[in-house]
Amino acid sequence: MAIIEIVKGDGSEAPRRWSARFGWLVGIWAASTVAFFVGASLLHLLVPR
């Protein structure tokens, strides 16, 4: 994955454009938000009322 290559380096190959960095931020934030809601939904289905 591209993010692993960027994170494990020293930053010399990180995107230079502000828009690319902001895109990574928004992408990671959106993915983590979706993962949180999916996990919460699954937990909600598993826990009895």
Side-chain angles (χ1 to χ4, degrees):
M1 286 198 291
I3 188 66
I4 293 173
E5 294 300 319
I6 291 171
V7 170
K8 80 177 177 180
D10 61 357
S12 62
E13 296 180 18
R16 297 283 179 219
R17 294 186 326 254
W18 181 84
S19 60
R21 290 176 186 237
F22 187 71
W24 274 105
L25 173 69
V26 169
I28 292 169
W29 174 80
S32 64
T33 302
V34 168
F36 172 78
F37 279 109
V38 167
S41 297
L42 289 174
L43 186 62
H44 178 71
L45 291 174
L46 291 175
V47 174
R49 294 182 184 182

